Amino acid sequence: MEAVTVAAALGLLLLAGTGSTAGDEAREAEAVRALVARLLGPGRAADFSVSVERALAAESGLDTYSLSGGGGARVRVRGSTGVAAAAGLHRYLRDFCGCHVAWSGSQLRLPRPLPAVPKELTEATPNRYRYYQNVCTQSYSFVWWDWARWEQEIDWMALNGINLALAWSGQEAIWQRVYLALGLTQSEIDEYFTGPAFLAWGRMGNLHTWGGPLSHFWHLKQLYLQHRILDRMRSFGMIPVLPAFAGHVPKAITRVFPQVNVTQMGSWGHFNCSYSCSFLLAPGDPVFPLIGSLFLRELTKEFGTDHIYGADTFNEMQPPSSEPSYLAAATSAVYEAMTAVDPDAVWLLQGWLFQNQPEFWGPTQVGAVLGAVPRGRLLVLDLFAENQPVYIRTASFQGQPFIWCLLHNFGGNHGLFGALEAVNRGPEAARLFPNSTMVGTGMAPEGINQNEVVYALMAELGWRKDPVPDLAAWVTSFADRRYGVSHRDAEAAWRLLLRSVYNCSGEACRGHNHSPLVKRPSLQRNTTVWYNQSDVFEAWRLLLTAAPTLAASPAFRYDLLDVTRQAVQELVSLYYEEARTAYLKKELAPLLRAGGILAYELLPALDEVLASDSRFLLGSWLEQARAVAFSEAEADFYEQNSRYQLTLWGPVGNILDYANKQLAGLVADYYTPRWQLFVRVLVDSLAQGIPFQQLQFDKNVFQVEQAFVLSSRRYPSQPQGDTVDLAKKIFLKYYPRWVNASL
């Protein structure tokens, strides 16, 4: 594609969010000042002067910040937008004060006086957008949040320079209005919506009905939250991405419009058609623009608009036809329904469909979709670019602008994982790709609150023109900021983690935890890892060595527990291998020893140490769900939604353990009973000379799994015990066995 065409495509997108006034500048500056007060307290906030001046970006048109002052004077933070000013503030706190902002807790000890900025520092981002979220994040992480938690997240987004993010709460309330206006009954609507924990997949047409219905109170609360979310995002100058109609409809549409042309899609995620096989409107049917425009008109009337909309018609679903004419028509129908209401509409498309089914999406099919929207009006998320970038095999999405995204995490799983070298080099490679149409970087995890080092690096790369030159030095500084003090052993631990768990490479690297610990027991479990496990154990030892100095740091205690959890996960794999080998060799005593340690000692010890931190409690997780409810019955319903998502995912284990977590209570009452049953069955098999039957075991263990989901047992939401003491207890028992290779 010619350079002038690329420039034109980018230029259209650069228009989005422009046209602001002096009033916008004042509002954004005030939003950042309020953030500073929330973050640092009113007293220290007085040490900062914040202003928003569009003229800072007059030359490049890209978000820019400027830092000056300090050293006895107020630190002056200027930004071309509120987001740019917040990012500048974060840069000062990070690089000049050694502070750290994170999901697990921030370290914000400021020196007095504040350090001086020796020379005015001005920084412009290399790209238009820094994007955040995955459609799935809404369900795996955000689903039960109240406004207080949303406020924290939006502050985190601003500090990390995010200026483009999904804002999808409350859309079901709008859909309910539209469906009622079209003639559907309330019972038909209730039957269609999924439960709260599964809304992401209802929104993408993968599921319907499962885990539902949604209550009237749910709709009201989500509308309230969406208004507050949008108001706060816009106050920083962020661009919220609203949902649009992708073509999926309730089956009841065929009752209201008997002649409507719909196609029933195939099943998804091992669900039968009671919960999947969604109905997709034919692009040429007159009902398509009717529903699409009704929804967007009602949505924008309620929430306003910033002109960027998300819609995914074929997410993990094969289209009814591979004919380019059909794919182009289906794409055009979605876009035209947007522009009928908003002529300035830009469509944000998750590029996951091209990555997920490459055998279907050949060059012709991809071209049909990309070419059906005017160039520059389709903004593609290259969702898994750190691992399997699609821009390379599509000639930079055939001229459509795209955002290079880090996906990293699947299902919100716990487990130390990252491909930091690929992340570090990826954005620059995409920017330098021939005729590149890259317009931004993004973070699109399915779940958050894990592996914070990965997101700290990615957020920093959104403002860098080049990769970090020395990742070992960078991660050393990361540890110092995170704990608020330089400690040799903690720094060495992080360098070991960098070269091991955070050094995955190749297409096999996926942030999805398949450890035997969190998977249904079987003789076929794969325990292969991409790193030297000795590095994890040595990092564990080093963190414990640093504990007397660093134990007062909440971030350190979190990391010590997370590395302890990872070490126990490695030990589970090793004892599993020993138990499996003993069973296959028909050696009862070694099987009893290894299986007994795994199921009756190691997993209970893991549950005990997890219980020492509120961030690893099942009780906290479930209380979030219950707190959303209007009544006790609704609280029970939401808790069951949450339990299903963590475990079976569907009624019969349809996507079993996909969203696994390692939480106190979940380990004790879900993972541990499965492993205890497995060990007993293997022992009985050897003792009685009867072959192990996996299918029969699966039936029996499903009863254990389902009993956990249906249980009403309440779990502590307050931590018990001391993390350092409990981690040390596990370490002293198992580390010598590891070193001596005598498990």
Side-chain angles (χ1 to χ4, degrees):
M1 185 174 62
E2 296 179 3
V4 66
T5 312
V6 177
L10 306 191
L12 277 170
L13 278 169
L14 290 174
L15 293 174
T18 61
S20 59
T21 66
D24 295 324
E25 293 180 359
R27 183 189 187 205
E28 291 172 25
E30 184 53 41
V32 179
R33 292 187 199 107
L35 183 160
V36 178
R38 286 191 297 273
L39 191 68
L40 304 177
R44 296 316 303 264
D47 295 335
F48 293 84
S49 166
V50 176
S51 64
V52 172
E53 306 164 25
R54 294 287 188 262
L56 270 175
E59 185 174 336
S60 67
L62 299 171
D63 279 2
T64 303
Y65 60 75
S66 173
L67 302 173
S68 59
R74 296 175 81 191
V75 175
R76 189 180 184 201
V77 180
R78 298 187 300 145
S80 58
T81 63
V83 166
L89 169 70
H90 188 202
R91 170 78 178 275
Y92 177 80
L93 294 173
R94 184 189 72 205
D95 291 359
F96 291 87
C97 301
C99 293
H100 181 69
V101 177
W103 289 312
S104 62
S106 299
Q107 187 282 110
L108 295 166
R109 290 196 292 274
L110 295 180
R112 284 188 186 275
L114 289 173
V117 181
K119 179 183 176 183
E120 184 171 2
L121 171 65
T122 301
E123 192 77 61
T125 181
N127 290 301
R128 171 73 174 96
Y129 296 114
R130 280 89 51 211
Y131 170 79
Y132 177 52
Q133 293 181 36
N134 183 306
V135 173
C136 299
T137 327
Q138 305 275 324
S139 289
Y140 284 133
S141 294
F142 303 165
V143 56
W144 310 117
W145 283 4
D146 58 11
W147 168 243
R149 182 61 186 86
W150 265 111
E151 182 174 55
Q152 292 174 17
E153 193 70 9
I154 297 169
D155 283 353
W156 179 92
M157 290 160 58
L159 289 163
N160 283 287
I162 303 300
N163 67 347
L164 181 68
L166 300 184
W168 280 26
S169 299
Q171 63 175 284
E172 284 72 30
I174 306 301
W175 274 118
Q176 180 168 266
R177 294 178 198 169
V178 170
Y179 292 146
L180 287 171
L182 288 170
L184 274 71
T185 66
Q186 187 63 55
S187 62
E188 288 172 331
I189 296 168
D190 290 343
E191 184 182 337
Y192 179 64
F193 287 141
T194 69
F198 305 97
L199 283 173
W201 301 277
R203 292 164 177 174
M204 294 185 288
N206 304 120
L207 288 178
H208 57 83
T209 311
W210 169 239
L214 299 174
S215 72
H216 175 67
F217 181 75
W218 172 269
H219 290 309
L220 288 177
K221 187 158 189 176
Q222 294 304 305
L223 285 172
Y224 161 79
L225 273 177
Q226 176 75 339
H227 276 290
R228 297 205 69 172
I229 290 164
L230 289 171
D231 182 68
R232 184 59 56 82
M233 287 176 66
R234 288 167 175 157
S235 76
F236 285 119
M238 293 179 192
I239 301 172
V241 178
L242 296 177
F245 178 54
H248 312 111
V249 292
K251 182 180 180 181
I253 285 290
T254 61
R255 178 189 63 76
V256 177
F257 300 100
Q259 304 302 316
V260 71
N261 186 358
V262 295
T263 299
Q264 189 167 17
M265 305 290 281
S267 63
W268 176 86
H270 308 291
F271 282 84
N272 62 31
C273 290
S274 297
Y275 302 113
S276 66
C277 312
S278 64
F279 286 82
L280 183 67
L281 270 175
D285 194 286
V287 175
F288 198 114
L290 171 67
I291 294 178
S293 59
L294 272 175
F295 173 71
L296 202 59
R297 191 170 288 111
E298 188 67 27
L299 184 83
T300 54
K301 179 176 142 187
E302 179 76 34
F303 299 128
T305 185
D306 297 83
H307 309 294
I308 301 186
Y309 307 95
D312 299 286
T313 306
F314 300 119
N315 176 71
E316 297 185 357
M317 294 187 295
Q318 185 161 307
S321 170
S322 62
E323 284 297 317
S325 58
Y326 170 79
L327 296 171
T331 305
S332 294
V334 173
Y335 177 69
E336 288 167 6
M338 293 180 195
T339 55
V341 176
D342 181 357
D344 297 324
V346 173
W347 179 1
L348 183 81
L349 173 70
Q350 292 191 126
W352 181 251
L353 74 167
F354 304 135
Q355 189 278 332
N356 181 248
Q357 290 185 305
E359 68 285 351
F360 176 89
W361 293 100
T364 304
Q365 287 71 32
V366 171
V369 169
L370 297 176
V373 178
R375 193 161 286 168
R377 293 292 186 175
L378 184 69
L379 177 54
V380 185
L381 300 177
D382 200 347
L383 212 65
F384 199 19
E386 83 274 22
N387 183 275
Q388 297 174 27
V390 175
Y391 76 86
I392 294 174
R393 64 180 176 87
T394 58
S396 201
F397 291 98
Q398 299 189 17
Q400 292 286 16
F402 76 93
I403 294 176
W404 190 100
C405 290
L406 161 81
L407 199 162
H408 178 257
N409 179 271
F410 291 84
N413 298 167
H414 290 127
L416 300 183
F417 168 81
L420 290 192
E421 189 58 46
V423 172
N424 190 34
R425 301 288 170 187
E428 181 191 47
R431 204 175 290 123
L432 298 177
F433 189 73
N435 294 320
S436 176
T437 51
M438 174 181 165
V439 294
T441 54
M443 296 184 280
E446 287 192 349
I448 63 168
N449 295 316
Q450 41 73 32
N451 293 292
E452 291 175 316
V453 66
V454 178
Y455 301 93
L457 176 63
M458 190 66 235
E460 188 173 325
L461 290 171
W463 289 84
R464 294 184 66 98
K465 297 175 179 64
D466 305 304
V468 171
D470 184 344
L471 279 178
W474 182 89
V475 83
T476 299
S477 297
F478 171 84
D480 295 346
R481 294 191 303 270
R482 190 163 168 82
Y483 307 143
V485 64
S486 173
H487 194 289
R488 182 179 62 187
D489 292 324
E491 293 171 349
W494 272 99
R495 287 192 293 270
L496 284 170
L497 295 174
L498 173 66
R499 83 178 191 187
S500 56
V501 291
Y502 292 119
N503 190 36
C504 198
S505 61
E507 289 199 357
C509 288
R510 286 174 176 257
H512 200 183
N513 194 344
H514 290 287
S515 164
L517 192 162
V518 294
K519 304 300 284 186
R520 180 183 279 176
S522 150
L523 290 172
Q524 308 302 320
R525 288 286 157 223
N526 183 359
T527 61
T528 304
V529 293
W530 64 93
Y531 51 88
N532 185 341
Q533 293 161 307
S534 295
D535 286 341
V536 172
F537 283 86
E538 180 60 9
W540 188 24
R541 185 190 72 80
L542 288 166
L543 288 178
L544 279 166
T545 302
T549 304
L550 301 179
S553 162
F556 174 81
R557 298 177 80 87
Y558 177 93
D559 292 342
L560 175 61
L561 179 48
D562 208 15
V563 172
T564 300
R565 179 207 52 71
Q566 188 74 21
V568 172
Q569 181 176 295
E570 310 294 356
L571 289 165
V572 166
S573 293
L574 293 165
Y575 280 112
Y576 163 72
E577 290 286 3
E578 187 172 292
R580 177 169 64 179
T581 299
Y583 174 79
L584 294 175
K585 289 183 176 180
K586 300 184 179 180
E587 296 174 347
L588 185 58
L591 170 61
L592 284 167
R593 177 182 169 278
I597 291 172
L598 189 164
Y600 293 91
E601 295 182 17
L602 199 53
L603 292 180
L606 173 61
D607 193 80
E608 185 181 21
V609 72
L610 291 170
S612 68
D613 193 304
S614 60
R615 295 163 291 190
F616 287 91
L617 296 180
L618 175 63
S620 300
W621 189 271
L622 298 180
E623 277 305 312
Q624 280 189 59
R626 300 187 67 85
V628 175
F630 183 67
S631 66
E632 189 68 16
E634 193 170 6
D636 293 341
F637 176 65
Y638 291 161
E639 178 176 335
Q640 190 175 105
N641 248 244
S642 190
R643 286 177 182 247
Y644 263 115
Q645 189 201 82
L646 288 169
T647 56
L648 296 174
W649 219 102
V652 293
N654 308 62
I655 315 179
L656 182 67
D657 297 319
Y658 181 93
N660 63 76
K661 311 281 188 298
Q662 292 174 45
L663 302 170
L666 189 63
V667 171
D669 289 350
Y670 181 74
Y671 299 128
T672 298
R674 294 201 304 191
W675 279 102
Q676 291 177 346
L677 177 61
F678 183 67
V679 171
R680 288 199 302 271
V681 170
L682 291 185
V683 169
D684 289 346
S685 170
L686 282 191
Q688 299 173 23
I690 302 171
F692 173 72
Q693 299 290 336
Q694 184 69 52
L695 289 177
Q696 185 58 49
F697 174 78
D698 289 347
K699 291 179 182 177
N700 294 339
V701 80
F702 175 73
Q703 302 305 314
V704 174
E705 296 160 343
Q706 190 176 53
F708 170 81
V709 171
L710 300 179
S711 170
S712 58
R713 177 178 177 179
R714 303 296 289 271
Y715 291 88
S717 55
Q718 296 298 318
Q720 301 170 337
D722 181 76
T723 299
V724 176
D725 290 344
L726 292 168
K728 190 180 297 182
K729 178 181 171 183
I730 299 173
F731 177 85
L732 291 174
K733 182 172 183 177
Y734 291 101
Y735 184 79
R737 302 186 192 185
W738 167 265
V739 171
N740 297 325
S742 58
L743 293 174

